[in-house]
Structures are given as structure tokens and as C-alpha cells.
Amino acid sequence: MNEPVNLTNCDREPIHVPGNVQPFGFLLALVSDFTICMASENAPDFLGGDLGWLLHRPLDVVLSEAAVATIRARVDYLSGPDAVERAFGIDLQGQGRLFDLAIHFSGAYLVVEAEPSLIETGVNSGELVRLMLGRIRKTAGMAELAQEGARQLKLLTGFDRVMVYRFHPDGSGEVIAETAGSGLEPFLGLHYPASDIPRQARQLYQRNWLRIIADINATPSPLTSMPAHNAGLLDLSMSVLRAVSPVHIEYLRNMGVAASMSVSILRDGKLWGLFACHHYSPRHLSFEKRTAAELFGQMYSWLLEARERETDVAYETRAHQIQERLIERAAALAHSKRAILDFVADYRQMIECDGLAVWSDDEITLDGETPTEDEVQDLIGFINRTSPGRICASAEIAKVYAAGEAFRDRAAGFLAIPISRAPRDCLIFFRREVLRSVNWAGDPNKTYAEGPLGPRLTPRKSFELWQQTVAGQSKPWTAADLRIAESLRVTLLEVILQLSELAARERRGAQERQELMIAELNHRVRNILSLVRGLVAQSKETSTSVEDFAAVLGGRIQALARAHDQITNLNWAPVALRSLLESEAGAYLGSRAGRVRMEGPDVALDPKAFATLALVVHEMMTNSAKYGALADSTGQVEVLWRLDSGSSLVIDWKESGGPPVQPPSRRGFGTTIIERSVPFDLKGDAEIRFDLLGVQARFVIPANFVQMVQAMGGALLRVAPAEEQTPRLAGNVLIVEDNLIIAMGAEVILLELGARHIDTAASVSQALKAIERAVPTFALLDINLGAESSLPVGHKLKELGVPFMFATGYGERAPIPAELSDAPVIQKPYTRELVEKALSKLT
């Protein structure tokens, strides 16, 4: 009997064992002795021979000795069940044909996947990712971060459309940012039901950072195995060539998409969303460029996580400050029955809510917008039956508690915090109903019928806008809300309740507190043990006595502690260099800190650079206090810093007036820190000279760790950018440039000058197609496009009356025909000022 068709059928499709691979590469599966036991049927197309010859063969018979050695070396690096190793430009058979490899374990099998190398001259993937990250780091808010991330990935990959797709807790998703080619229908703001990306697909996205479908119409290549093995059961979860589910192929075909790529966005190891890339014709990216896109996705995920944590930290910090005041005041309420009720106003300040109910000693206290006392009492009974002793929360009360439908207009969401083991005391926060309109890409409640693929869900064909008004829901409870709730729960258990309970309950509570404190202690200790272990091991080698060892180790730990305090006080934001120097000078000299003269511009250091430099300055200050200028009552230290032409920070340390300097007879750990920390950790420079009249040192911190700031009232303020001139551009702008890095730089310039949308083209044909789709308001043309020139594009633009300018490395000698000589010419490399000056000639 066929099972009924519903939205869970897709969740059971075994997409990880398709038994096929995409045909742009081939797959070999090896047993432990490196014998080929499975292969894709297209493998002979790449390796020669036939499939029967490949199976049973040792790998070193099929591939060259060098290729097998490369594969074996990569296998040694595999760690963990989801590890994948890569190798690029490998000559598999010594015939000059290069392949890119992906290698991973699937159960007992070693899976080797290969695809022909695509050589892209002039493309440096690492440099591209660095530039992309630099641009997204400059964004101001989450919306701008998502939009810039989509734009950068589109520039890297060339897909027609790139979206940032965020998952909601129920598995549905929303397009929160989008960049698409001219003429394409926008998807921004659309919601998609959870069934569009089934649960097992989301699990694979969480394990695989990148997934590409080069051509939905390509015929997959089946896997074949030796008789003792079953290719149809080979788990291809980590495969880069894994064939595509027929259901998903049909879904993409219904959308009109011919090729797609996804890059996962994770937070705390969980799937937060995707960069979803669509192309309306087949599109295959080189493995190297896909690796760059994957790296960008990983870096973007970490930056996103940091941005979201900044907001959470501010919210939680405010709650913890209130909680600390609550603890102090609770100490005066020993054994008072009102030890909970007296802090209702504080609770409402800690967690955003519209109302609060407190159930304590069989009494209900309501504050703000809440259900009635009887309704709250029934709700408490439900909570104690279903979630005894645990925090529970829902933004849609009627969904988990049917009786909540009666008061959802007053309290649609609730968060309950139990504050005693017995089911009587608890806090319940309420949030009111928030009506909102949701734009769906098709009706999410559509009734599905069995289709041509048999008794399972057939992808929908309609993606027309369907608007829904959502009622009965409140603003969602965030992870920060739940963390604050847990912290409040622990506080009330440990402090307030123990003040109001009898001695017997206090003894039971003492055990609970001990367990909590041990867990917290273990958590904190594990975070610092490895660092302290390293300092101990290195410090003991240069110490001559126990006292000396204790002083050296203590000083280094204090330097790190001071740096850590300064960083965390600013929520992990850049910290002023001057504050580091003043902190270290004050720690050693107290009121005599004026003997260290400091002069330089107001700059702040990235937290990583700040922590590294803190140890270096500590060692310099320590050595000076022991053996150098600060060891003498008349000695002085001069610390001067400046920014060089590349915006790197140059710090000069000069000592004078102290005893004669004797170069150290050996290199201890302190000297190693001074000489190697900045070059090793920050890729900067460090130099120290032991001149007879005083130690001199110079440190160079790379520009990416340095920010200009203004000192004002003891706080650090970022310098506001200079007021920009009135933009000279508007509307759609075309860039014709065959070098991706130069095109990305030009795009930034033209956007700053007022362009609303940028189209990029690397060839004449692409440029003419872009003009045909949408006539631009301005164009920037690179004359030399490799094997062709952009002059035909110039003629077309002149015919349409579109202003444009040429960019070239030839300067005034550029070969421009007379009929196009009116167009301004700028010389590469060009700047915003050059472009703006040339634009003035067109107006």
C-alpha cells in the first residue's frame, strides 16, 4: 500500500545515498589496500580503459606513482568523520592532464573524487577572499552585512542571483538579502515553507559548507561496484560530486533554474542560513574558486556570529548588572516571604516583556499585561505537568497550550522560569500578540497530491506571491533571553530562595549550589589551563630561583590579565595603544610613570594584536625596570609611534639615561616574545638593538590590525569619514573588465559615487547582453580584454547616447579610434579621485 503524500515524505528521501554522481567529475572508492572496489561509470572517460578493467585494480596501476603518493599524503591529514582533504592541479596519469581532487572516508571506504582542473589566469582566490572580507567588515548593521555578503559572493562566482536565506526555528526560511542581474524578478523578503528544504537536506548543509549543481539537465553517472560491495548504499554525504535528488531537480526546473550553488552560514555549529546562488543556464565553477567561496562562507559565519553576539552581550550585560544589584539587596531580606515579590520591577527590566506573573507561596502577583489570575493558575499547572523544573518558552502559546487561545490577544508568548524544586514557585514573562504580514513564495498551506515521482511529495510549480497575516504570535524569545532566564533561575535558587526557606531546604540547596559552582569552575579553569601551562613551561627555563620564577610568571600573567580587562571592558572592540602603554607603565612605576614619555596619533588595536603587543610591552617594561633605563632613577623611556605610508603602525622604543647596556648572553623566553610575537602572530616586523647608551626597538603592526580613533572623555570614538562630495552617478552602471579584482575595486568606487546597481562583464559578448537587458546610465570600459578589445561596446554605447570612459594601462598611448576619442581615458591603477575627475569632463 502506498503511503499518503504529505510534507514529511521529502524528509525521508535518502538523498545521501543516490548511487550516482554529477558528470563533471568521476569517483573511485577504495578499500584499505588501495584497491578500487567502486567507480562511477564515467571514470574511463577520464582515465581510459573500461570500467571492468578499473575495478579490482590497485590504485597505483591506474594512476601514476606521484598521484598515488599525493593521495596517501592527504589521507594522513584526514581527521574526524566529516573531514575532506583537497589537492589541486594533480597529473593523475603522468600525461599532463591536471585534476583537482577531494578525498574523504565514507565508512570503511576511502572516496577519491576528481574533476579536470580549470585554470583561471590572474585569479588569486586567497587575495579575493581577503578583499571580500575587508569589505564586509566595514558594514554597519546586520542588513548591510547580509547585502554586502551577497554582493561579494556574486562578484566571486558570477551567478545570476545570490541570496542570503535565513532559516526560522520552524524550518521555514526568508530571503533577507539579494543581488541579482538586471531584469530578474526580485525574491527579497519572500518566505519559503520548511518543505522546500527538507530536514535531511538541512542536516547535510550543516555538515557540508558548499554544494554545487552545475547543470540540472546533465545525466548523472551511476556507481558500479565489485560483487562483494554495494555502490547503491555508499554514503555520499561528504561528496562534492553527489548526484541531485530527482525531487530537487524538479523543484529547480519549476523555478526556471539551470544551475545552483549553496554556501552554508553556521552559528555555534548550527545551520543559520545559506548563500543561495541561482543561474539560469548551466554554470560550473573551478574547485579552487569553490574552495574560495567556502572559505568566504566560513569567515562570514564567524563575523555574523560576532556581530550577533555584540547585541546579545549588551543586552545580557544590562541584565547581569540588574542581577548583581538584586543579589546585594536580597541579602537584607533574610527569610522574608517577600524575597521574590520585592523584585518584580527588576525582573521586567532584565527580560523584555509586556507583563509578568509571580507564583510564590500559593499566591499570584501580576504586573503589566497578563492573563487573569485563574488563567495563570491553570497555565502553571500545565507547566508543572509538562516541563517540571525546566525553563520553557513559546512565542505562540496556543500552539503548546490549547487553553491559551482564550487570552492570546493579551499574552501570545510566555517564558516560564521555575525557581524551586517543588512545583509551586515560578516566574512567567508574557509578550503580547504581534500581528504581521508574511509574503510567501507560494501558498505554504497548499494541499499536495501524488505526482509522477510516486507516493511522495511532488515539488510545487507555483511560486506566485501569497500573503498571509500571522496572528497569535508574539515577538520570539531569543537565545539571549533564555540565557538570562537561566542565569536568573540560578540566582534565585542560590540566593533569594535560600533566604526564605527553612534550614532543611537550605541544606538541599547547598548541594545544588555546589554542583553548579563546580561546573562553572571547571568551565572557567579549562579555558585558561593551556595558556598558563605554556607560560609556566617557558618561564621556568630562564629563571634562576623559585622567587625569580614566581615574579616572572606572575608578571606575564598580570600583563595578559590587564590586556584582557581592557578588551572585555569594550566588548571585544579595538583598544587604544596609549591605554596599553599607560597601564603597563603604571603597573611598574606607579606615580613615577611619567618617566615613560609617549607620543603618537590616537590609534586602536584589534583585540588579537592588542593581546600580542601586551606581552611584548610587558617584557620591554620588565627588562627596562630590571636592567635598563628604568632601573636607574634618572633613566627615561621614550615610546613614539606613527603610521607609515601603508597605514601600518610603527612603534619606536628608545631608552636613555640608564646604566650601560650589556647584550644578553643567551636568548630567553622574554627575548623570544619580543623578537618573534609580532612577526609570528601578526605577520609584522620586530627589531631590538642593545646599544651601549640604551636599548632601542622597533615594532611594525600591519594596517589590518590598526584603526584611527579620537580620545574623548576617556572613551574611544571611531573617526567619522570625511563628508563625501555630491555623487555624480545614478541608476544602473556597467563595468567591462576581465580582471575580477580590478572589477571589484571599480564597483566600490562607482557605488560610492552614486551608482544604484552595478553590472560587470568580462567580455564583449557579456557586455552587449547586459546592455540589451538594461541600458546603463554610465559605463567604465577596460580597453584590453585579453584576446579582444571593448571598442565594439564603446560604439554601441555611443549609438545609444550613453556616456562612458575608458580605463587602460597604456595611458595617453591607448589605441582609441577617432570616433570614440571624446570619451575620457583614465590610467590604471585608478582611484576614486581619477574617476571623479574624468566624470567631470562628461558633465
Side-chain angles (χ1 to χ4, degrees), residues 84 207 231 254 283 305 399 439 505 540 625 658 702 761:
V84 178
R207 297 175 64 190
N254 291 345
R283 181 161 187 78
E305 184 172 332
K399 191 172 183 178
N439 292 325
R505 295 190 64 184
K540 70 180 182 180

Side-chain angles (χ1 to χ4, degrees), residues 686-724:
E687 176 188 2
I688 183 169
R689 300 191 307 276
F690 297 94
D691 294 347
L692 182 63
L693 298 180
V695 171
Q696 298 191 33
R698 170 168 289 183
F699 306 98
V700 180
I701 311 299
N704 57 306
F705 295 107
V706 182
Q707 291 189 15
M708 290 296 297
V709 297
Q710 288 180 337
M712 187 173 183
L716 294 177
L717 301 177
R718 299 183 187 275
V719 179
E723 184 176 352
E724 297 183 358

Side-chain angles (χ1 to χ4, degrees), residues 121-301:
T121 58
V123 173
N124 183 328
S125 296
E127 178 66 9
L128 288 176
V129 173
R130 188 187 69 80
L131 290 172
M132 294 164 70
L133 291 174
R135 288 180 179 130
I136 66 172
R137 285 173 60 187
K138 295 178 181 177
T139 56
M142 297 300 294
E144 187 179 342
L145 175 68
Q147 185 62 38
E148 185 63 19
R151 191 175 73 86
Q152 292 298 325
L153 197 61
K154 185 177 187 298
L155 284 171
L156 175 68
T157 63
F159 274 83
D160 290 333
R161 184 196 306 272
V162 176
M163 300 165 283
V164 177
Y165 184 86
R166 180 171 187 175
F167 288 104
H168 294 302
D170 63 357
S172 66
E174 176 186 1
V175 178
I176 64 170
E178 175 187 45
T179 178
S182 301
L184 291 178
E185 175 189 1
F187 290 171
L188 183 63
L190 292 182
H191 289 65
Y192 293 78
S195 57
D196 279 16
I197 302 180
R199 183 175 58 251
Q200 82 276 34
R202 295 195 294 272
Q203 291 171 348
L204 288 180
Y205 283 133
Q206 188 166 302
R207 297 175 64 190
N208 286 309
W209 280 96
L210 186 141
R211 168 73 163 152
I212 189 169
I213 303 172
D215 182 0
I216 69 167
N217 294 314
T219 302
S221 179
L223 299 181
T224 301
S225 63
M226 295 164 51
H229 305 270
N230 189 337
L233 296 180
L234 181 63
D235 188 336
L236 297 181
S237 294
M238 303 306 298
S239 166
V240 300
L241 297 175
R242 173 165 47 85
V244 189
S245 155
V247 175
H248 189 52
I249 288 290
E250 186 178 354
Y251 178 86
L252 292 175
R253 188 173 287 121
N254 291 345
M255 291 189 73
V257 175
S260 73
M261 188 179 80
S262 64
V263 182
S264 299
I265 303 173
L266 304 183
R267 178 176 177 182
D268 294 327
K270 304 297 183 182
L271 187 63
W272 181 94
L274 300 170
F275 284 106
C277 309
H278 287 173
H279 210 67
Y280 296 92
S281 60
R283 181 161 187 78
H284 178 58
L285 296 184
S286 69
F287 199 8
E288 182 177 1
K289 187 168 283 189
R290 299 197 318 263
T291 300
E294 179 178 331
L295 177 60
F296 173 74
Q298 294 173 349
M299 298 297 105
Y300 181 92
S301 296

Side-chain angles (χ1 to χ4, degrees), residues 20-26 40 42-43 45-46 114-116 214-215 217-222 241-244 284:
N20 300 275
V21 296
Q22 297 183 67
F24 63 80
F26 68 91
S40 57
N42 66 342
D45 298 339
F46 297 92
E115 58 185 90
D215 182 0
N217 294 314
T219 302
S221 179
L241 297 175
R242 173 165 47 85
V244 189
H284 178 58

